[in-house]
Amino acid sequence: MGPYDVYGPAFLEGYNFQWTTNVMQFHLQDSIQLAQGLTLHAGFKSMTATTSGGAQYNNADWTGADALPNGSLTASQAFLPHVNLDWHINRHHEIYVDVAENMRAYEVSAYGVANSVYSVQDQATFQAQKKSLEPSKAWVYLGGYRYTSKYLQANATVYHASLIHPILAAAVGSLTNPVSQVIDFGHISMTGANGDITVTPIDGLSISNNLSYNKGMYDRNVDTVGGYYALAGKNIVNYPAWMYKAAIAYSWKGMTAHFDANYYSRHYYSFMNDTSIGGYWLANAGAQYRFGKLSVLKDVTASFNVYNLFNTKYISMMGENDNPAVGDYQSMERGAVREFFGTISASF
């Protein structure tokens, strides 16, 4: 018994979803030392993931659908290889290469939410899309260099990822009556690089910088019930191409203080890239002091942190009601204003 059973008339229950997912996975890997400091890791995994369920209740007056999605989906792949080559040239220098294929089990989500075929508007759409649906897979190729010493840690990585049959949700229809449709985008390419440097000039002081670039593009055009869209060559949505982070932290005895500044470049909102939000900076700062043991209390710690230090106005989330092919469906959320957090903790 509960509030829905006792006070049911006072609440609106538009729908109710429930799933059962069974995953079977086998993994085999071995490591071979080819030479001094040079190691080859190789293996594969097999995976089968079956999800059954969906809508257990539907209020047709609220959802506008005679029946909401319910059914079974299976993602299966017998051979998903992974190869890694790691060369420790000496105690400071390391080079590595990694190649792997992965598969994603079908996601589950309730009516009208997220990138799942279970989120489409009715059972008929679910059945129609299920016929042509294939599980998402990805090939990832990565190579990098790492340097480690007492005063300097540096890492540089380049990568390329091929996403095959990525399943994403899109909003079609009008601004006042958007409809969620799950689309197989065919193929997406992501190529990027990441660089990180951390300097520790004196004990307790750490200064780090991280810069990353990702060029994500749709490789194929898409034909949907909302129309045909020439997506080939367009940038992926909701993801900045450039990200940068600078951070400084200092610890002395029981005290620790930190400051970090983060930059996020332009995010595209529509799949056709005609709407977007500009880049922005976001900074945070804070301090913490560990008092240790005080009377019967242990590990007494006081901290104070400021989020969004400069009160930047920015969009923290977009596309939570799915991204449109073109235009602006006003599916965005403003980021939090400057916030202060103070905490005192202890253990017994």
Side-chain angles (χ1 to χ4, degrees):
M1 297 295 289
Y4 286 100
D5 300 302
V6 179
Y7 307 109
F11 290 87
L12 171 64
E13 185 182 2
Y15 50 83
N16 184 291
F17 276 69
Q18 181 177 322
W19 296 272
T20 299
T21 299
N22 295 309
V23 179
M24 295 183 64
Q25 187 168 285
F26 172 79
H27 181 253
L28 180 66
Q29 180 176 304
D30 196 10
S31 298
I32 304 172
Q33 186 168 343
L34 302 176
Q36 183 65 35
L38 181 62
T39 305
L40 174 67
H41 309 278
F44 75 94
K45 71 177 179 180
S46 301
M47 177 180 170
T48 298
T50 300
T51 297
S52 301
Q56 307 298 309
Y57 171 78
N58 172 43
N59 184 336
D61 292 335
W62 192 84
T63 63
D66 292 334
L68 293 180
N70 188 298
S72 175
L73 294 172
T74 297
S76 182
Q77 182 71 24
F79 186 72
L80 295 166
H82 177 207
V83 178
N84 174 272
L85 189 64
D86 193 6
W87 184 21
H88 287 263
I89 302 172
N90 54 42
R91 66 189 185 93
H92 295 302
H93 304 277
E94 178 186 358
I95 295 174
Y96 51 90
V97 177
D98 195 277
V99 178
E101 183 186 18
N102 260 304
M103 180 186 70
R104 189 174 195 173
Y106 288 108
E107 293 184 69
V108 298
S109 60
Y111 173 71
V113 182
N115 300 322
S116 167
V117 71
Y118 287 103
S119 69
V120 297
Q121 63 267 29
D122 54 37
Q123 178 71 6
T125 304
F126 174 84
Q127 290 298 126
Q129 296 203 314
K130 177 181 175 180
K131 293 178 181 178
S132 59
L133 207 60
E134 294 190 43
S136 299
K137 299 176 184 177
W139 277 98
V140 180
Y141 312 88
L142 179 149
Y145 164 79
R146 183 181 293 114
Y147 176 84
T148 306
S149 71
K150 180 180 179 181
Y151 300 106
L152 175 66
Q153 300 85 48
N155 184 71
T157 303
V158 294
Y159 63 86
H160 175 77
S162 294
L163 282 63
I164 306 164
H165 298 297
I167 301 168
L168 301 171
V172 298
S174 66
L175 173 63
T176 56
N177 186 32
V179 176
S180 176
Q181 183 187 15
V182 176
I183 300 171
D184 182 341
F185 277 72
H187 194 278
I188 295 176
S189 295
M190 300 178 71
T191 302
N194 179 78
D196 182 87
I197 296 177
T198 300
V199 180
T200 52
I202 60 175
D203 289 343
L205 178 62
S206 172
I207 303 169
S208 63
N209 286 270
N210 179 279
L211 177 65
S212 66
Y213 172 75
N214 181 294
K215 181 64 174 177
M217 295 189 305
Y218 302 105
D219 294 331
R220 299 176 185 173
N221 300 327
V222 173
D223 193 9
T224 76
V225 296
Y228 177 83
Y229 299 102
L231 288 184
K234 300 295 183 182
N235 297 284
I236 60 175
V237 296
N238 303 335
Y239 198 91
W242 290 95
M243 289 189 288
Y244 171 73
K245 179 176 182 177
I248 181 169
Y250 181 67
S251 298
W252 181 73
K253 295 185 177 180
M255 185 274 296
T256 300
H258 71 89
F259 170 83
D260 62 81
N262 307 267
Y263 174 73
Y264 306 91
S265 68
R266 179 176 301 277
H267 295 52
Y268 287 97
Y269 175 62
S270 65
F271 289 105
M272 291 297 291
N273 294 171
D274 64 331
T275 51
S276 62
I277 63 170
Y280 61 89
W281 285 88
L282 194 63
N284 311 289
Q288 176 181 276
Y289 190 82
R290 300 179 183 86
F291 294 93
K293 184 177 181 181
L294 294 178
S295 185
V296 297
L297 302 177
K298 296 183 296 183
D299 302 321
V300 179
T301 303
S303 62
F304 181 76
N305 293 279
V306 184
Y307 172 80
N308 192 0
L309 182 64
F310 303 115
N311 205 27
T312 301
K313 295 181 175 61
Y314 69 101
I315 299 297
S316 64
M317 183 184 295
M318 58 184 183
E320 66 272 20
N321 289 331
D322 305 331
N323 296 78
V326 294
D328 176 10
Y329 276 24
Q330 300 179 12
S331 178
M332 299 183 184
E333 293 183 8
R334 178 182 171 179
V337 297
R338 184 189 294 120
E339 296 177 293
F340 303 91
F341 299 90
T343 303
I344 299 176
S345 62
S347 60
F348 298 92

